[in-house]
Amino acid sequence: MTDKESSRRAVLKAAAAGGVGAGLGAMGMASPAAAAPRRRRVAILLYDGLTALDAVGPYEVLCRVPDIEVITVARRAGPVRTDTGVLGLVADRSLRQVRQADVLLVPGAGNRGVTAAMADTETVDWVRRLHKGTTWTTSVCTGALILGAAGLLRGVPATTYWASRSYLETTFGAVLTPGRFVESGKIITAGGVSAGIDMALHLAAKLADERAAQALQLAVEYDPQPPFDTGSPEKAGPELQQLALKLLEDAAR
Amino acid sequence: MTDKESSRRAVLKAAAAGGVGAGLGAMGMASPAAAAPRRRRVAILLYDGLTALDAVGPYEVLCRVPDIEVITVARRAGPVRTDTGVLGLVADRSLRQVRQADVLLVPGAGNRGVTAAMADTETVDWVRRLHKGTTWTTSVCTGALILGAAGLLRGVPATTYWASRSYLETTFGAVLTPGRFVESGKIITAGGVSAGIDMALHLAAKLADERAAQALQLAVEYDPQPPFDTGSPEKAGPELQQLALKLLEDAAR
């Protein structure tokens, strides 16, 4: 191997690692995976009209938690389109193929997608059935409404997308609770879209430990520095709220 | 329409909107799209082994910028698998079908994916060719290395994934510059993975205006509250750096 090839193979390197290579393997440290009896399963529900980041944010953290396997599930295995119609995600398994998961994650969608999912008996029944065997049942954004439609949130402290908070409360009897994500028993509901990343780090600490979760925060270089400070409805105010909903509507398929 | 149906259709509602409905359309305000002569195009490069959030974070913001269309492009149209192998994204077009874009976005990947992409003449030539006609050429994470392989970063202030900083500098002659994202002429390079969301909000302000970008920050409820503060290598320290690289390596396909 030439020096150039060797250098190409070490595209990722810790600043402190010097010449020892990219992984702890090279330092003789055992993989945490070696000690684990079985891999726990995170099932991410995909459905037509979902909001991609709701699913992909948590996926990007959870797929690297030691001893965890992440799978994607939809009514039928194959591609589903997102709320804007311009991105496709692939579900590897159908609902019927998946009867158990340690963690269930239900992402949200825009009006069309979430309304259809809430009305789809097969999907809602599957969520209710899987929930019985989960260690954690989680949602991001309007995914909480699907948990609600499955009857899982009556009297339960929860949150959802900012613009769907009152809907969640009045329609499904959830106890609206402030927070980037809300944990209540084994149910964790996150706020809108990007809140799933924060929830996933919290969940990673529970599935593994705090150090692993902290390392995963670095793995996705999650040191947020948004150029504005308008990420909550309270900070944004009513005019930006209306504009946000209009932009969502305009881009909806 | 029954009251229940009506309520289901208003799953998303601004707190301040009361009964007027979810969109500005109902308030008689014109869509910004109506005034635009043509939709500008954002092309997101997908390739085998990419890191999903690198692409999906910016997509989720940019797909709702007024008068913008987002398209996905890969060597061949169809599904590509991510770095972990457990998620598929669908590219709607092949490189040959796309000869122009106003914005080019190149996401990153792990060692395997980025090494293969840098070595793939077809991909690198396509990036170089598209760059000639772009208004903005952008990368997330190790996507900067692909811009580097295309010869676009020699002497250019830039950033990349934390663990690839020195590689970017020594291999491609970029001028490593601190920042969540770095703008230099028409090239904007973002740091690792989640940094693409911050960059996309910055870009949204340039493609539309600050108010639209601020509304889009609310649209994705990007009010980050990570449970830890270990999202940069400096904050995390050398031990978490090593652990992060190990977890990345263990989960890599």
Side-chain angles (χ1 to χ4, degrees):
Chain A
M1 184 162 52
T2 65
D3 283 350
K4 191 171 174 192
E5 280 165 350
S6 158
S7 132
R8 280 194 182 270
R9 286 185 191 191
V11 167
L12 306 183
K13 207 180 276 187
V20 300
L24 292 190
M27 300 168 72
M29 292 175 66
S31 161
R38 102 179 158 86
R39 298 179 79 197
R40 288 157 301 165
R41 174 187 273 185
V42 176
I44 301 181
L45 176 67
L46 303 183
Y47 55 96
D48 191 53
L50 92 160
T51 301
L53 186 52
D54 290 19
V56 171
Y59 148 82
E60 201 66 85
V61 172
L62 298 174
C63 65
R64 298 186 174 93
V65 173
D67 312 325
I68 290 286
E69 71 164 346
V70 173
I71 61 169
T72 49
V73 193
R75 281 196 79 166
R76 287 184 194 79
V80 301
R81 298 301 285 194
T82 58
D83 45 8
T84 58
V86 304
L87 182 64
L89 302 180
V90 181
D92 289 338
R93 307 188 198 203
S94 69
L95 297 179
R96 287 178 195 198
Q97 288 176 298
V98 178
R99 301 180 168 278
Q100 180 278 330
D102 299 279
V103 178
L104 168 62
L105 189 139
V106 180
N111 264 317
R112 183 184 57 83
V114 78
T115 303
M118 287 190 292
D120 179 49
T121 317
E122 194 181 336
T123 298
V124 171
D125 285 352
W126 181 84
V127 165
R128 194 183 298 114
R129 201 163 53 240
L130 244 72
H131 171 69
K132 289 183 185 156
T134 59
T135 308
W136 301 102
T137 297
T138 71
S139 65
V140 179
C141 199
T142 52
L145 305 185
I146 300 170
L147 299 189
L152 308 184
L153 295 185
R154 190 150 300 277
V156 174
T159 192
T160 185
Y161 191 55
W162 60 270
S164 302
R165 289 177 190 164
S166 65
Y167 187 91
L168 184 71
E169 190 164 45
T170 56
T171 312
F172 299 119
V175 181
L176 260 191
T177 303
R180 187 77 172 147
F181 51 83
V182 174
E183 183 180 332
S184 173
K186 72 174 190 178
I187 294 179
I188 313 180
T189 50
V193 196
S194 61
I197 302 172
D198 296 330
M199 179 182 75
L201 289 168
H202 174 76
L203 197 52
K206 296 191 169 279
L207 293 169
D209 55 52
E210 283 215 351
R211 272 181 50 76
Q214 288 167 347
L216 288 170
Q217 183 175 357
L218 177 61
V220 298
E221 208 166 331
Y222 187 45
D223 184 30
Q225 295 165 42
F228 314 106
D229 190 18
T230 55
S232 75
E234 296 77 18
K235 290 174 179 171
E239 277 184 42
L240 286 178
Q241 288 176 31
Q242 292 293 350
L243 182 55
L245 292 176
K246 165 149 183 52
L247 293 174
L248 285 165
E249 202 178 290
D250 285 349
R253 180 167 53 137
Chain B
M1 184 160 56
T2 65
D3 283 347
K4 191 171 174 194
E5 279 166 350
S6 158
S7 130
R8 279 195 183 269
R9 286 183 190 191
V11 167
L12 306 182
K13 207 180 277 187
V20 300
L24 291 192
M27 300 168 72
M29 293 176 67
S31 161
R38 101 177 159 85
R39 300 179 77 196
R40 288 158 299 166
R41 175 186 270 184
V42 176
I44 301 181
L45 177 67
L46 303 182
Y47 56 96
D48 191 53
L50 92 160
T51 301
L53 186 52
D54 291 20
V56 172
Y59 148 81
E60 202 66 84
V61 172
L62 297 174
C63 65
R64 298 186 175 94
V65 174
D67 313 324
I68 289 287
E69 72 165 346
V70 173
I71 61 170
T72 50
V73 193
R75 280 196 80 168
R76 286 183 195 81
V80 303
R81 297 302 285 195
T82 59
D83 46 8
T84 58
V86 303
L87 182 63
L89 301 180
V90 181
D92 289 337
R93 308 189 198 204
S94 69
L95 297 181
R96 288 180 195 194
Q97 289 175 296
V98 177
R99 301 181 168 277
Q100 180 278 332
D102 299 278
V103 179
L104 169 62
L105 189 140
V106 180
N111 264 318
R112 182 185 57 82
V114 78
T115 303
M118 287 190 293
D120 179 48
T121 318
E122 194 182 336
T123 298
V124 170
D125 285 351
W126 181 83
V127 165
R128 195 184 297 113
R129 200 162 55 238
L130 244 71
H131 171 69
K132 288 183 186 157
T134 59
T135 309
W136 300 101
T137 296
T138 70
S139 65
V140 179
C141 198
T142 51
L145 305 184
I146 299 171
L147 299 189
L152 308 185
L153 296 185
R154 192 150 301 277
V156 173
T159 192
T160 185
Y161 191 55
W162 60 269
S164 302
R165 288 176 189 166
S166 65
Y167 186 91
L168 183 72
E169 188 163 46
T170 55
T171 312
F172 299 119
V175 183
L176 259 191
T177 303
R180 187 75 173 148
F181 51 83
V182 174
E183 183 180 332
S184 172
K186 72 174 192 177
I187 295 179
I188 313 179
T189 49
V193 197
S194 61
I197 302 173
D198 295 330
M199 180 183 75
L201 288 169
H202 174 76
L203 197 52
K206 297 193 167 279
L207 293 169
D209 55 52
E210 282 215 350
R211 272 181 50 75
Q214 288 167 347
L216 288 170
Q217 183 176 354
L218 177 61
V220 298
E221 208 166 331
Y222 187 45
D223 184 30
Q225 295 166 41
F228 313 107
D229 189 20
T230 55
S232 75
E234 297 77 16
K235 290 173 178 172
E239 275 184 43
L240 285 179
Q241 287 175 32
Q242 292 293 349
L243 182 55
L245 293 176
K246 163 148 183 52
L247 293 174
L248 285 165
E249 201 179 290
D250 286 349
R253 182 167 52 139

